Amino acid sequence: MAALPAEAGAGSVAASKITIRGLSIDYVSEDGRARHRALEDLSLEVRENEFLSVVGPSGCGKSTLIAAIAGFLRPRSGSLLLDGKPIGGPGADRGVVFQEYALLPWRTVLDNVTLGLRLRGMPRSERDRIGRQFLEMINLVEAADKYPHQLSGGMKQRVAVARTLANQPEVMLMDEPFAAVDAQSRMTLQEELVRIWSQSRLTVLFVTHSVEEAVFLGDRVAVLTPGPGRLKAMIDIDIPRRQRRWAELGNNLLFATLRQRVLDLVRGAGTPP
Amino acid sequence: MRKNSGALGTVPFVALGLAWLLIPMLTKIPPYALPTPGEVIGRLYSGVVDGSLPKDVLASLRRLLLGFCIGNGLAIPLGIAIALNRRVSDLLRPLLTFLASIGGIAWVPLAVVWLGVGSGAVLFVIANQIFFGSIYNTVTGVETIPRVLRRAVLSNGARGTQMLWELIVPGALAQIIVGLRTSMAYGWRALVAAEMIAGTNGIGFRMMEAVKWYQTDTIVLGMIVIGVLWLVLDALLFSRLERATVVRWGLLRETA
Ligand SMILES: Nc1ncnc2c1ncn2[C@@H]1O[C@H](COP(=O)(O)OP(=O)(O)O)[C@@H](O)[C@H]1O
Ligand SMILES: [Mg+2]
């Protein structure tokens, strides 16, 4: 585990993996005349090996936050650090799972999963072997030679998650990955993600507009204000990993309480603790 | 997937052939204006036997292929550069718009002055035509690659030329193939026209020569050969290319 960076606050339990301080991001129109502030003065810390959910209403800047950490957007002001070092452009150390799956239509499922390995120049036999392991993990070995358009939405998103994990990023950024999937598959995917995350112990930043999903998945839940997004509250979710199954949480009192608390915060009724 | 569509497509051809047989019997069109199918078949036979027809076809096809390679060899890389780089786009777009308006055939006079009557002038004209038939397709193809795919490839660690082969070329391929196809269709038409005006051999030249002797059978044969060759080229090259790539990837449903 990395040493505690100097920036980490005194109260930090674990090292800070991603540190966001005073982040503001503007979208500027083509002609440079109109500006739209998507994030304003957002400060947030993602700890090493934690699963952080970020929840907020649609349009509050969640995708913008992911894009900024991924290195697709430049902040107008504020700082973005990964392991204490400023984030420049995009890189393989920050894997991204997009709502739109973003699989390459011209590649088979296996070749999609091994994209990052191929880009690193890993020989075919080796990367295929690794790729198949990840397909096994998501129970899609039989789809290895299919093309993405032959898969259902849920299958595509599992492939996208496998692609990100196979590339061994330091953090996984997930932008409403299950929002476009039907409700049944979504619950399965959420449980699978818990299982996979428990095994890999990767740092995950998971963005969603669904309060239920945020609480189900996260070690902590960050609540953002409606746009331009700022941090409104941070809630600890003290539910053990092994209890995170829908069949079990359905009548879990703590889950219901936390979900209600976050929901109140998102809807503006609750007050930050 | 659509095995039988070929059969339906032949119906109009049969109807056309029947009309061709019947029209001379039902109207007073003079025989020299419209040759009978028999005469055209006779001309086809004699052309094949004395070797003049294959020679003309080959001359035209070779020119088309060369013009196709030159035109697209310039258009595709340039189209990619224009789509990817704002500066290149700002620099070249006005010039290209200007030149594109001067259609292929309008270059014939200058091409003849520069290169003389013959293959050089014809090649220049069709390469030009093919270039403009193709380039905007490449530009559009690259520009319409979804942003999220670009981001996904970048986040998997791609840089520099990896982006080109992993994303840009395959992502634009559906549209590039449209460009290849339309540019060859344009080029084919420009080729025949240019051969008529500035050629010394080829199908177009032969048709224009035939006018001197009122050999309408040669002229009609030329027209049929032009159409048939195109059908064959299109089926052999582009439909196959599409099936092997963009249809397989689900980016395009099978078309013609
Ligand atoms: N490319 C863009 N240009 C201009 N405004 C944008 C752009 N992308 C997003 N926005 C605006 O920025 C705000 C935040 O967007 P986004 O980060 O997509 O929100 P979320 O993901 O939480 O729904 C919204 O008001 C949205 O309309
Ligand atoms: Mg979003």
Side-chain angles (χ1 to χ4, degrees):
Chain A
M1 201 185 273
L4 202 70
E7 298 83 50
S12 286
V13 211
S16 167
K17 189 70 186 170
I18 300 171
T19 313
I20 300 162
R21 267 201 252 102
L23 182 69
S24 295
I25 290 188
D26 287 353
Y27 286 106
V28 183
S29 64
E30 190 93 335
D31 57 12
R33 287 162 72 177
R35 285 171 174 276
H36 176 85
R37 176 142 299 186
L39 288 176
E40 177 149 298
D41 195 23
L42 173 73
S43 296
L44 188 67
E45 204 172 83
V46 187
R47 297 172 187 159
E48 182 99 48
N49 297 337
E50 89 166 322
F51 194 118
L52 178 68
S53 298
V54 174
V55 66
S58 152
C60 77
K62 300 183 297 294
S63 295
T64 305
L65 174 64
I66 295 272
I69 299 172
F72 305 136
L73 294 176
R74 304 223 144 268
R76 178 178 152 73
S77 59
S79 65
L80 272 168
L81 309 173
L82 178 72
D83 287 328
K85 289 186 283 290
I87 288 172
D93 51 354
R94 283 147 293 143
V96 186
V97 180
F98 302 90
Q99 181 177 339
E100 310 92 325
Y101 321 124
L103 299 178
L104 301 177
W106 47 87
R107 292 285 189 186
T108 61
V109 164
L110 183 61
D111 284 346
N112 262 286
V113 170
T114 56
L115 171 64
L117 306 176
R118 185 167 64 245
L119 291 170
R120 276 191 238 160
M122 184 182 286
R124 166 134 229 150
S125 58
E126 195 183 345
R127 64 172 196 254
D128 282 359
R129 187 181 52 77
I130 297 173
R132 281 181 197 284
Q133 284 171 6
F134 280 92
L135 285 179
E136 240 160 68
M137 178 190 79
I138 57 165
N139 297 319
L140 272 180
V141 183
E142 74 287 353
D145 297 322
K146 289 192 173 162
Y147 283 90
H149 74 99
Q150 298 168 301
L151 307 183
S152 71
M155 288 157 99
K156 282 183 198 166
Q157 200 55 289
R158 272 145 71 200
V159 173
V161 171
R163 174 175 71 183
T164 302
L165 293 173
N167 204 21
Q168 298 199 295
E170 292 182 32
V171 299
M172 178 156 72
L173 308 169
M174 308 183 80
D175 187 1
E176 307 212 35
F178 307 143
V181 172
D182 67 271
Q184 283 308 312
S185 312
R186 186 181 309 137
M187 291 168 96
T188 314
L189 285 165
Q190 289 161 344
E191 289 179 347
E192 272 184 46
L193 183 58
V194 169
R195 173 176 63 81
I196 291 167
W197 178 83
S198 309
Q199 287 160 13
S200 67
R201 282 271 156 180
L202 183 72
T203 307
V204 179
L205 181 78
F206 187 105
V207 144
T208 176
H209 69 267
S210 156
V211 168
E212 189 155 65
E213 182 171 65
V215 175
F216 179 81
L217 291 170
D219 292 324
R220 295 189 299 158
V221 175
V223 182
L224 298 190
T225 62
R230 304 156 154 271
L231 182 62
K232 183 172 189 180
M234 183 70 91
I235 313 288
D236 286 314
I237 309 296
D238 290 320
I239 301 172
R241 282 282 139 195
R242 42 194 167 68
Q243 286 179 24
R244 309 254 184 150
R245 305 222 328 278
W246 284 113
E248 249 179 88
L249 285 193
N251 40 23
N252 181 312
L253 199 59
L254 182 56
F255 179 73
T257 314
L258 287 168
R259 183 180 54 190
Q260 192 56 47
R261 194 143 136 235
V262 175
L263 191 62
D264 289 345
L265 283 163
V266 170
R267 302 184 63 195
T271 44
Chain B
M1 276 185 244
R2 8 146 271 137
K3 273 192 193 125
N4 281 327
S5 63
L8 197 60
T10 57
V11 171
F13 286 102
V14 173
L16 208 62
L18 283 177
W20 185 13
L21 272 172
L22 293 177
I23 283 171
M25 301 178 197
L26 304 174
T27 64
K28 284 193 279 242
I29 292 177
Y32 67 82
L34 185 69
T36 63
E39 284 171 321
V40 172
I41 291 168
R43 181 58 70 177
L44 171 68
Y45 180 74
S46 67
V48 171
V49 167
D50 70 13
S52 63
L53 184 65
K55 218 175 186 176
D56 281 326
V57 166
L58 272 182
S60 291
L61 281 181
R62 188 174 301 146
R63 227 168 260 150
L64 177 71
L65 195 70
L66 202 57
F68 182 75
C69 292
I70 296 172
N72 281 299
L74 293 170
I76 293 171
L78 201 61
I80 290 175
I82 287 173
L84 292 182
N85 189 308
R86 191 60 174 272
R87 287 253 171 96
V88 177
S89 170
D90 288 348
L91 182 74
L92 292 180
R93 266 187 198 262
L95 177 69
L96 289 176
T97 309
F98 172 77
L99 290 176
S101 70
I102 307 168
I105 292 301
W107 280 96
V108 169
L110 203 55
V112 168
V113 171
W114 286 348
L115 304 164
V117 170
S119 290
V122 173
L123 188 61
F124 178 85
V125 167
I126 64 158
N128 180 305
Q129 182 79 13
I130 285 173
F131 176 89
F132 286 106
S134 172
I135 185 162
Y136 292 111
N137 284 292
T138 303
V139 174
T140 310
V142 175
E143 281 177 348
T144 51
I145 295 172
R147 186 184 67 178
V148 73
L149 290 187
R150 197 174 68 84
R151 291 182 163 186
V153 174
L154 280 171
S155 290
N156 274 275
R159 60 190 115 251
T161 53
Q162 286 184 328
M163 289 299 282
L164 195 62
W165 299 116
E166 202 58 63
L167 179 78
I168 308 291
V169 171
L173 195 63
Q175 199 62 36
I176 289 177
I177 292 175
V178 171
L180 292 177
R181 192 178 222 161
T182 36
S183 75
M184 199 182 238
Y186 288 174
W188 187 225
R189 280 178 252 168
L191 169 73
V192 173
E195 280 177 348
M196 286 179 173
I197 312 171
T200 50
N201 60 4
I203 303 169
F205 172 78
R206 198 63 58 205
M207 286 166 72
M208 218 53 195
E209 280 290 290
V211 173
K212 291 182 190 162
W213 314 101
Y214 282 95
Q215 291 169 341
T216 43
D217 49 357
T218 303
I219 296 173
V220 171
L221 176 63
M223 292 166 71
I224 293 172
V225 167
I226 290 167
V228 168
L229 277 181
W230 177 251
L231 279 177
V232 172
L233 277 179
D234 197 53
L236 233 55
L237 293 178
F238 302 116
S239 301
R240 278 191 183 193
L241 186 58
E242 275 182 350
R243 252 173 284 142
T245 56
V246 290
V247 171
R248 189 154 164 234
W249 305 337
L251 294 177
L252 188 73
R253 260 187 265 137
E254 205 159 0
T255 54

